[in-house]
Amino acid sequence: MTPFAARRSCLAALCIGLALLGAASQAAAHPHVFVEVAPSFIMAKGRIVGMQVEWVFAAIFSSAIIRDFDTNRDRQFSSGETEKLKAGAFDNLKAYGYFTHFRFNEKMDVSTEIQDFSAAVSPNGNLVYTFIVRPPRHVDPKQVSFDVMLFDETYYVDLRLMPGKPITFTGSEGCSGDVDRN
């Protein structure tokens, strides 16, 4: 091989290596899991005490989780399958506040308390998680500026409000919320 051909070969290898490196960094910077979220605030005595959340996952993630945890392939999660799914594909989200960030009078906080977790397969084959997330303290929205933000700081999971499904409140009449997209 001539010195010119050797240089050209090394340059080509370097370009391919840099292109692969660039592709890897781009892949790490965009979401891999897509979730539509439907929140419903739970009120008691004029205070927000929790938020019922429904997560509907996109097809690719849904099929992987259903394949891994619906062991009898009946397209339903038994209590045993749900327990294993929760332990294997949900409980680790505690470290990320379950992608639910609360802001009280401009101070950020996350919740680490989840209740009533369930998993199901929707009629169109999507994985659906339903659970209640509790804010770190009960909130009187008349006294405290209160925001809830649903996002993943790592950009691995893309959470979006479910289109056409309004934010609702249970346990209190006349409440409403504003959606501000960031």
Side-chain angles (χ1 to χ4, degrees):
M1 182 182 286
T2 67
F4 179 72
R7 275 194 214 132
R8 188 168 43 175
S9 178
C10 285
L11 184 59
L14 180 63
C15 288
I16 290 170
L18 289 174
L20 290 174
L21 236 149
S25 67
Q26 287 178 352
H30 66 78
H32 291 76
V33 178
F34 298 88
V35 184
E36 289 186 343
V37 182
S40 177
F41 290 93
I42 303 166
M43 306 284 294
K45 298 180 182 176
R47 296 179 185 273
I48 298 171
V49 299
M51 185 173 66
Q52 171 99 29
V53 182
E54 180 180 86
W55 287 359
V56 179
F57 292 89
I60 293 173
F61 184 81
S62 292
S63 64
I65 295 298
I66 293 165
R67 181 190 66 238
D68 290 349
F69 293 99
D70 179 20
T71 55
N72 64 3
R73 306 292 182 245
D74 66 352
R75 312 270 309 152
Q76 298 178 21
F77 293 106
S78 67
S79 60
E81 289 170 334
T82 299
E83 192 175 302
K84 288 179 182 175
L85 185 153
K86 184 176 181 293
F90 182 76
D91 285 345
N92 63 319
L93 299 179
K94 180 177 184 175
Y96 304 96
Y98 303 98
F99 306 135
T100 305
H101 308 265
F102 298 102
R103 186 167 51 194
F104 305 91
N105 290 331
E106 304 303 319
K107 185 178 179 204
M108 297 293 289
D109 206 344
V110 295
S111 179
T112 56
E113 184 183 347
I114 295 295
Q115 296 174 327
D116 301 333
F117 175 85
S118 67
V121 179
S122 73
N124 64 355
N126 292 77
L127 174 66
V128 179
Y129 286 173
T130 305
F131 56 94
I132 294 173
V133 60
R134 301 280 181 194
R137 61 183 178 274
H138 294 176
V139 179
D140 181 347
K142 294 177 185 173
Q143 303 292 322
V144 175
S145 170
F146 177 67
D147 299 299
V148 177
M149 293 157 282
L150 306 167
F151 65 91
D152 175 16
E153 294 174 353
T154 69
Y155 300 108
Y156 187 81
V157 178
D158 182 298
L159 296 115
R160 296 177 185 222
L161 289 176
M162 201 172 289
K165 189 157 187 176
I167 295 172
T168 60
F169 293 80
T170 58
S172 184
E173 298 297 320
C175 287
S176 65
D178 295 323
V179 175
D180 184 20
R181 297 191 186 272
N182 185 347

